[in-house]
Amino acid sequence: MFELRLEQGSLLKKVMEAIKDLVNDANFDCSATGFSMQAMDSSHVALVALLLRSEGFEHYRCDRNISMGINLANMAKILKCAGNDDIVTVKADDGTDSVTFMFESPTQDKISDFELKLMDIDSEHLGIPEAEYDAIVRMPSAEFARICKDLSSIGDTVVLSVTKEGVKFSTRGDIGTANIVCRQNTSVDKPEEATIIEMKEMVSLTFALRYMNSFAKATPLASQVNISLSSDLPVVVEYKIAEMGYIRFYLAPKIEEEEAEAHVETKSKSEAKRPIKPKPDVKSEVETNLEVEDSHMEPEVVNKPQLDTKPKKETNGEVEVMDV
Amino acid sequence: MFELRLEQGSLLKKVMEAIKDLVNDANFDCSATGFSMQAMDSSHVALVALLLRSEGFEHYRCDRNISMGINLANMAKILKCAGNDDIVTVKADDGTDSVTFMFESPTQDKISDFELKLMDIDSEHLGIPEAEYDAIVRMPSAEFARICKDLSSIGDTVVLSVTKEGVKFSTRGDIGTANIVCRQNTSVDKPEEATIIEMKEMVSLTFALRYMNSFAKATPLASQVNISLSSDLPVVVEYKIAEMGYIRFYLAPKIEEEEAEAHVETKSKSEAKRPIKPKPDVKSEVETNLEVEDSHMEPEVVNKPQLDTKPKKETNGEVEVMDV
Amino acid sequence: MFELRLEQGSLLKKVMEAIKDLVNDANFDCSATGFSMQAMDSSHVALVALLLRSEGFEHYRCDRNISMGINLANMAKILKCAGNDDIVTVKADDGTDSVTFMFESPTQDKISDFELKLMDIDSEHLGIPEAEYDAIVRMPSAEFARICKDLSSIGDTVVLSVTKEGVKFSTRGDIGTANIVCRQNTSVDKPEEATIIEMKEMVSLTFALRYMNSFAKATPLASQVNISLSSDLPVVVEYKIAEMGYIRFYLAPKIEEEEAEAHVETKSKSEAKRPIKPKPDVKSEVETNLEVEDSHMEPEVVNKPQLDTKPKKETNGEVEVMDV
């Protein structure tokens, strides 16, 4: 038996809107730790990790670990039926093939329950070990979303360059070039408007704007976004969820064009990406990982995951290496 | 000569928006009683009846009864040109082939007149006798609209079940099932938020959500909707229009799937509907009907129409039986 | 070296939104007088003239006259990236093949620069001499936009008729006819709500609504629009831009249908237009024209341009006669 109750039902709606376009189907894992999900996007380039810790719920009960295979578009359809002030309860019996969503209006005059059929989904669990990042940028999430959208009208990729002074987003397209610089700014009236750079080393990495724009759909969840960058690691774009957890998006950098062109001279516009090699884990390992991450989570330098390189077979999962 | 003047011009705009997607062409009947319209939807499954009583207009003159055949999409186009605060005048001369809409801005600085060509439309007038309903639900119209929209994302039909405690809307689709219960609630601060059940007998009927969603386009006209249900009758979904009249939508229930499958075993998903058999009347009879309805209209248990079964030929109309 | 700086960056965004759907590519001319553009629409029926006088900018420097060939859709894409409160700087070096747009947020925390490649565009400069107009209508721009949009749902052309009492917009289509009269009204509380008619002679001219609707995209630039009409001249639809200049749209009237049908009996719906014959000038002449216009610009009866009939060759331009 698994049951969670969340008074701020709109939060689950926002979570679903943030990931439903990126991921088709995914296993949601329910354990004593919390409600979590990890999945590759449908083109196997980006990775999404969601955690909602058990302490964050008004009520949370999980007798034994269960994994629920869910089509995210369908779950989003159901959550759209919840009013923004509704109390949401999610419930599944052991060994059942469905999960129940219940929405109660604040006045209790309207009670809705939706039963969603579960699916069998092959999935690998990637162990995401801690990592040290060369630079971490914390900035207003709406600003980040705006910049990614604006640059998309000019080019397909963004070069993210971090210096002590600020972070620069650059692109290049048929019509010309664009550079947007956000300066470090810690002395703002509202903390959610701050732009804070933590930097050990200057870093400059190239990413597909298409994915950045997908990640930015999580903007309604958090007023700030954390972008963690290292030369040899996938970027982590993290949105904190209230007091409960986070959504993290991982994306491998593209090999910069000059570099790529040196090797692949026949390609005029290199689409090459540094490969992410996933390391599937059995579930117990993953939960341990999450706990370890939690205990190390610090206000400024949140989680330092690293996608490992040695794939392991998961119980019900096929190991899949990200598209490169 | 026929002329009506309505200071609240936005009301006619809302009426047109409520019915233009359901009905293509219809005869608008102008008599001493008022301005009325009755038409089957274009797929001949649902029936719409509109009444705006003469007393509700700032000015109303009707020298002799006329019937104006109008394409509703075109009338909606013209009414869209009216400002929300404009005074609307509708005018037709006897024996003319056009109707004139005049819009005056409150300051009288802008005067628009639109002449719309009339059409010859074959139509039957259904006599809708009074009926006793097993259950009448009065609830906030926006809530009803929201529920029909939400359920449409899950299934194609809705089962409406009324008990003393409340009304339940249920559906079932490929992804799962949904039940939404609205409890009776008469002790609300705002009367427009009440949900009131008047029930003689429990009733449970199945309807096509597509039509319910069409009916719900009348939501801007009234804060409450009245839903009248009986096992052997079409449902009546009624929106009151200010102090003037109403829009009523009639829809025959579907034969429930189990029942239908027992009879029609070759159909995997029964689309069978209980037939509505219209009884066309000559116009004078209809007007009498409307008057009778009016005189019986009571605050809580508004009109109890019943679609009669014996068709009569109308002067210019072809009798058409609703699609089943 | 050319550089202009505008604190009200949103103004340039609005200018671009006003013309980008009408004109594909155009030469922007930068001189001591100001920043100006003149171009035919892509179907060579309408003419757009933009002027932003140098005095209107916070900073304006133009060492020598330059003409920048720009794709307007691309320039609009870039300006969309400017925040509404951003300070905009436009910069081009002599002999360069690109122009730079710089956007600074009010707090200076975000600095964006966009480099747009310039194009070689063949263009003719039309000398638009002063003209006396039979009638000039000044009315709220939003009202004009609303009327053109409303009439488009009925017909394809609008007959603009001016009398001392007011201006009438008429159309006719398959579903019927429409007439909208705006009365002269000078005694309003807010000057931007006035409708003012200056008339020497009654005038009645027919125009394609499609173009009027395009012109109306400039509505956000000015609360009032000036419409200058003469029987033998293209209409001028003018939107003033703050203290800086204007956008003017020129459109030749259609030959009225009766008239046209008399001549072209085989055409059921005449599309004939009075031809505009452009007179390309060398650039120095044009600048003189602009200065002359400026010096003659008066508060009420702003510029009275007339499209001349004798084409001259421009240095880099092909002479093109407007489609008729």
Side-chain angles (χ1 to χ4, degrees):
Chain A
M1 166 95 189
F2 162 74
E3 187 174 296
L4 66 80
R5 185 177 163 91
L6 190 60
E7 284 184 11
Q8 199 188 346
S10 59
L11 196 146
L12 276 186
K13 294 175 77 165
K14 287 180 197 163
V15 166
M16 233 7 79
E17 292 306 306
I19 55 181
K20 79 174 162 62
D21 294 335
L22 204 60
V23 178
N24 292 342
D25 305 312
N27 283 317
F28 285 79
D29 298 308
C30 317
S31 71
T33 314
F35 187 69
S36 65
M37 188 275 287
Q38 195 198 69
M40 302 293 286
D41 85 290
S42 47
S43 59
H44 282 253
V45 172
L47 179 75
V48 187
L50 163 75
L51 173 66
L52 299 172
R53 278 185 288 273
S54 51
E55 312 91 78
F57 293 94
E58 272 74 38
H59 169 74
Y60 191 94
R61 172 181 164 186
C62 182
D63 298 345
R64 52 181 285 266
N65 294 355
I66 61 169
S67 180
M68 304 188 297
I70 290 181
N71 174 284
L72 272 71
N74 290 342
M75 184 167 163
K77 271 184 195 170
I78 286 175
L79 285 167
K80 266 196 181 161
C81 300
N84 280 330
D85 300 324
D86 282 3
I87 300 161
V88 172
T89 304
V90 184
K91 217 169 16 187
D93 288 321
D94 294 339
T96 185
D97 62 347
S98 70
V99 56
T100 300
F101 296 84
M102 191 169 82
F103 310 138
E104 298 162 78
S105 70
T107 58
Q108 296 287 323
D109 284 337
K110 182 181 170 190
I111 313 284
S112 314
D113 58 275
F114 292 79
E115 208 176 291
L116 176 66
K117 285 180 199 152
L118 295 178
M119 315 163 68
D120 265 331
I121 297 170
D122 282 351
S123 73
E124 72 278 14
H125 261 264
L126 310 184
I128 305 174
E130 287 180 66
E132 293 289 316
Y133 282 93
D134 293 343
I136 297 174
V137 177
R138 191 194 306 184
M139 64 184 290
S141 58
E143 192 64 88
F144 174 69
R146 172 83 201 259
I147 289 169
C148 292
K149 181 173 152 284
D150 281 349
L151 293 185
S152 303
S153 67
I154 311 292
D156 296 327
T157 58
V158 57
V159 181
L160 258 162
S161 313
V162 185
T163 65
K164 280 214 158 59
E165 286 70 39
V167 52
K168 185 168 81 173
F169 302 80
S170 309
T171 194
R172 169 183 298 276
D174 292 340
I175 72 168
T177 62
N179 296 291
I180 301 178
V181 175
C182 294
R183 292 190 189 149
Q184 166 140 245
N185 182 353
T186 56
S187 60
V188 287
D189 292 344
K190 302 174 192 162
E192 66 267 28
E193 289 175 1
T195 298
I196 300 168
I197 315 277
E198 283 180 54
M199 203 191 80
K200 289 191 195 111
E201 242 175 286
M202 296 215 309
V203 61
S204 180
L205 294 166
T206 307
F207 301 98
L209 273 168
R210 191 164 90 76
Y211 289 99
M212 289 292 173
N213 278 312
S214 281
F215 303 164
K217 291 194 175 142
T219 302
L221 278 168
S223 60
Q224 291 257 313
V225 59
N226 293 306
I227 306 163
S228 304
L229 297 146
S230 270
S231 309
D232 297 318
L233 292 176
V235 64
V236 189
V237 178
E238 185 195 47
Y239 296 85
K240 295 259 174 76
I241 301 173
E243 311 287 293
M244 301 186 67
Y246 54 77
I247 291 187
R248 289 179 190 150
F249 301 96
Y250 299 86
L251 178 66
K254 286 170 169 265
I255 297 168
E256 280 102 75
E257 293 191 24
E258 314 88 83
E259 204 183 315
E261 274 159 23
H263 294 91
V264 196
E265 290 190 353
T266 49
K267 278 172 107 176
S268 68
K269 196 177 179 183
S270 171
E271 286 292 331
K273 291 183 203 78
R274 295 227 173 93
I276 298 181
K277 299 212 190 66
K279 169 200 161 206
D281 284 326
V282 294
K283 217 152 300 157
S284 58
E285 270 186 60
V286 174
E287 279 145 20
T288 318
N289 271 342
L290 291 174
E291 279 160 29
V292 170
E293 281 172 351
D294 284 351
S295 63
H296 281 79
M297 203 169 285
E298 253 137 61
E300 302 87 24
V301 195
V302 282
N303 88 303
K304 310 181 172 61
Q306 183 166 25
L307 297 181
D308 230 66
T309 48
K310 287 173 239 152
K312 289 186 200 161
K313 254 319 198 217
E314 214 221 329
T315 333
N316 74 335
E318 288 292 315
V319 177
E320 285 171 316
V321 174
M322 286 190 189
D323 264 344
V324 288
Chain B
M1 166 94 188
F2 161 74
E3 187 174 296
L4 66 80
R5 184 178 164 89
L6 191 59
E7 284 185 11
Q8 198 188 345
S10 59
L11 196 146
L12 277 187
K13 296 175 76 165
K14 286 179 197 163
V15 167
M16 230 12 75
E17 292 307 306
I19 55 181
K20 78 173 163 62
D21 294 336
L22 205 57
V23 178
N24 292 341
D25 305 313
N27 282 317
F28 285 78
D29 298 308
C30 317
S31 71
T33 315
F35 187 70
S36 66
M37 187 274 288
Q38 195 197 70
M40 303 293 287
D41 85 288
S42 48
S43 59
H44 281 252
V45 171
L47 178 76
V48 188
L50 163 74
L51 173 66
L52 299 172
R53 279 184 288 273
S54 50
E55 313 92 78
F57 293 94
E58 272 73 37
H59 169 74
Y60 190 93
R61 173 182 165 185
C62 182
D63 298 345
R64 52 181 284 268
N65 293 354
I66 61 168
S67 179
M68 305 188 296
I70 290 181
N71 174 285
L72 272 72
N74 290 343
M75 184 166 162
K77 270 183 195 171
I78 286 176
L79 284 167
K80 266 196 181 161
C81 301
N84 279 331
D85 299 324
D86 282 4
I87 300 161
V88 171
T89 303
V90 183
K91 219 172 7 191
D93 288 323
D94 294 338
T96 184
D97 62 347
S98 70
V99 56
T100 300
F101 296 84
M102 190 170 80
F103 311 138
E104 298 161 78
S105 71
T107 57
Q108 297 287 325
D109 284 339
K110 182 181 170 190
I111 313 285
S112 313
D113 59 275
F114 292 79
E115 207 177 289
L116 177 64
K117 285 180 199 152
L118 295 178
M119 315 163 68
D120 265 331
I121 296 170
D122 281 351
S123 73
E124 71 278 15
H125 260 266
L126 310 184
I128 306 175
E130 288 181 65
E132 292 289 317
Y133 282 93
D134 293 342
I136 298 174
V137 176
R138 190 193 308 183
M139 63 184 291
S141 58
E143 192 64 88
F144 175 69
R146 171 81 200 259
I147 289 169
C148 293
K149 181 171 154 283
D150 282 349
L151 293 185
S152 303
S153 68
I154 311 292
D156 296 328
T157 59
V158 58
V159 182
L160 257 162
S161 313
V162 185
T163 64
K164 281 215 158 60
E165 285 71 39
V167 51
K168 184 167 82 173
F169 302 81
S170 308
T171 194
R172 170 185 298 277
D174 291 341
I175 72 167
T177 62
N179 296 290
I180 301 179
V181 175
C182 294
R183 293 189 189 151
Q184 167 140 239
N185 182 352
T186 56
S187 61
V188 287
D189 292 344
K190 303 174 192 163
E192 66 267 27
E193 288 175 1
T195 297
I196 299 168
I197 315 279
E198 283 181 53
M199 202 191 82
K200 290 191 194 111
E201 242 177 285
M202 297 214 310
V203 62
S204 181
L205 293 166
T206 306
F207 300 98
L209 273 168
R210 193 163 89 76
Y211 289 99
M212 289 293 172
N213 279 312
S214 282
F215 303 165
K217 290 192 176 143
T219 302
L221 278 168
S223 59
Q224 291 258 310
V225 61
N226 292 307
I227 306 164
S228 304
L229 296 148
S230 269
S231 308
D232 297 318
L233 292 175
V235 64
V236 189
V237 179
E238 185 194 47
Y239 295 85
K240 295 257 174 75
I241 299 172
E243 313 287 294
M244 302 186 66
Y246 54 76
I247 291 187
R248 289 179 191 152
F249 300 98
Y250 299 85
L251 178 67
K254 286 171 168 263
I255 297 167
E256 280 102 73
E257 293 191 24
E258 315 87 82
E259 204 184 314
E261 273 158 21
H263 293 90
V264 196
E265 290 191 354
T266 48
K267 278 172 106 175
S268 68
K269 196 176 179 183
S270 170
E271 285 293 330
K273 292 184 203 79
R274 296 223 174 97
I276 297 181
K277 299 211 189 67
K279 169 201 159 205
D281 285 325
V282 294
K283 219 152 299 158
S284 58
E285 270 186 61
V286 174
E287 279 146 21
T288 319
N289 272 341
L290 290 173
E291 279 161 29
V292 170
E293 281 172 351
D294 284 349
S295 64
H296 281 79
M297 203 169 284
E298 253 139 60
E300 303 87 25
V301 193
V302 282
N303 87 302
K304 308 182 173 61
Q306 183 166 25
L307 298 181
D308 229 66
T309 49
K310 290 171 239 153
K312 289 186 201 160
K313 256 307 196 227
E314 215 222 329
T315 332
N316 74 336
E318 290 290 316
V319 177
E320 284 171 316
V321 174
M322 286 189 190
D323 263 344
V324 289
Chain C
M1 166 94 187
F2 162 74
E3 186 173 296
L4 65 81
R5 184 178 164 91
L6 190 59
E7 284 185 11
Q8 199 187 345
S10 59
L11 196 146
L12 276 186
K13 295 176 75 165
K14 288 179 196 163
V15 166
M16 235 3 82
E17 293 307 307
I19 54 181
K20 78 173 164 63
D21 294 336
L22 205 58
V23 179
N24 292 342
D25 304 312
N27 282 318
F28 285 79
D29 298 308
C30 317
S31 71
T33 314
F35 188 68
S36 65
M37 188 275 288
Q38 194 199 70
M40 302 293 287
D41 85 289
S42 47
S43 58
H44 282 252
V45 171
L47 178 76
V48 187
L50 164 74
L51 172 68
L52 299 172
R53 280 185 286 273
S54 51
E55 312 91 79
F57 293 93
E58 271 74 37
H59 169 74
Y60 191 93
R61 172 182 166 185
C62 182
D63 298 345
R64 53 181 286 267
N65 294 354
I66 62 169
S67 178
M68 305 187 295
I70 290 182
N71 174 284
L72 271 73
N74 291 342
M75 185 167 162
K77 270 183 196 172
I78 287 175
L79 284 166
K80 265 197 182 159
C81 301
N84 279 331
D85 300 324
D86 282 3
I87 300 160
V88 172
T89 304
V90 183
K91 218 171 11 189
D93 287 322
D94 294 339
T96 184
D97 62 348
S98 69
V99 56
T100 300
F101 296 85
M102 190 169 82
F103 311 138
E104 296 162 79
S105 71
T107 57
Q108 296 287 325
D109 284 338
K110 182 181 169 190
I111 312 284
S112 314
D113 59 276
F114 293 78
E115 208 176 292
L116 176 64
K117 286 180 199 152
L118 296 177
M119 315 163 68
D120 266 332
I121 297 170
D122 280 352
S123 73
E124 71 277 16
H125 260 264
L126 309 185
I128 305 175
E130 287 181 68
E132 292 291 316
Y133 282 93
D134 294 343
I136 297 175
V137 177
R138 192 194 305 185
M139 63 183 292
S141 58
E143 193 64 88
F144 175 70
R146 172 81 200 260
I147 289 169
C148 293
K149 182 172 153 282
D150 282 349
L151 293 186
S152 304
S153 67
I154 311 293
D156 297 326
T157 58
V158 57
V159 182
L160 257 161
S161 313
V162 185
T163 64
K164 280 213 158 59
E165 286 70 40
V167 53
K168 185 167 81 173
F169 302 81
S170 309
T171 194
R172 170 184 298 277
D174 292 339
I175 71 169
T177 62
N179 296 290
I180 301 178
V181 174
C182 293
R183 293 191 187 146
Q184 167 139 244
N185 182 353
T186 56
S187 61
V188 287
D189 292 344
K190 302 174 192 162
E192 67 266 28
E193 289 175 2
T195 298
I196 300 168
I197 315 278
E198 284 180 54
M199 202 191 82
K200 289 190 195 112
E201 241 177 287
M202 295 216 308
V203 61
S204 180
L205 293 167
T206 306
F207 301 98
L209 273 168
R210 195 165 87 76
Y211 288 99
M212 290 292 172
N213 279 312
S214 281
F215 303 165
K217 290 195 176 143
T219 302
L221 278 168
S223 60
Q224 291 258 313
V225 60
N226 293 307
I227 307 163
S228 304
L229 297 147
S230 270
S231 307
D232 297 318
L233 291 176
V235 63
V236 189
V237 178
E238 185 194 47
Y239 296 85
K240 296 258 174 75
I241 300 173
E243 312 288 295
M244 302 186 67
Y246 55 77
I247 292 187
R248 289 180 191 150
F249 300 97
Y250 299 85
L251 178 67
K254 285 171 169 265
I255 298 168
E256 280 101 70
E257 293 193 22
E258 314 87 81
E259 201 184 317
E261 274 159 21
H263 293 90
V264 195
E265 290 191 354
T266 49
K267 277 172 107 178
S268 68
K269 197 175 179 184
S270 171
E271 286 292 332
K273 290 184 204 80
R274 297 227 172 95
I276 298 181
K277 300 213 190 64
K279 168 200 159 208
D281 285 327
V282 295
K283 218 153 296 158
S284 57
E285 271 186 58
V286 173
E287 278 145 19
T288 318
N289 271 340
L290 290 173
E291 279 161 28
V292 170
E293 282 173 348
D294 284 350
S295 63
H296 282 79
M297 203 170 284
E298 253 136 63
E300 303 86 26
V301 194
V302 281
N303 85 302
K304 310 181 173 60
Q306 184 166 22
L307 296 182
D308 230 65
T309 48
K310 289 173 239 152
K312 291 187 202 159
K313 257 303 196 232
E314 213 222 330
T315 333
N316 73 335
E318 287 292 315
V319 176
E320 285 171 315
V321 173
M322 286 191 189
D323 263 346
V324 287

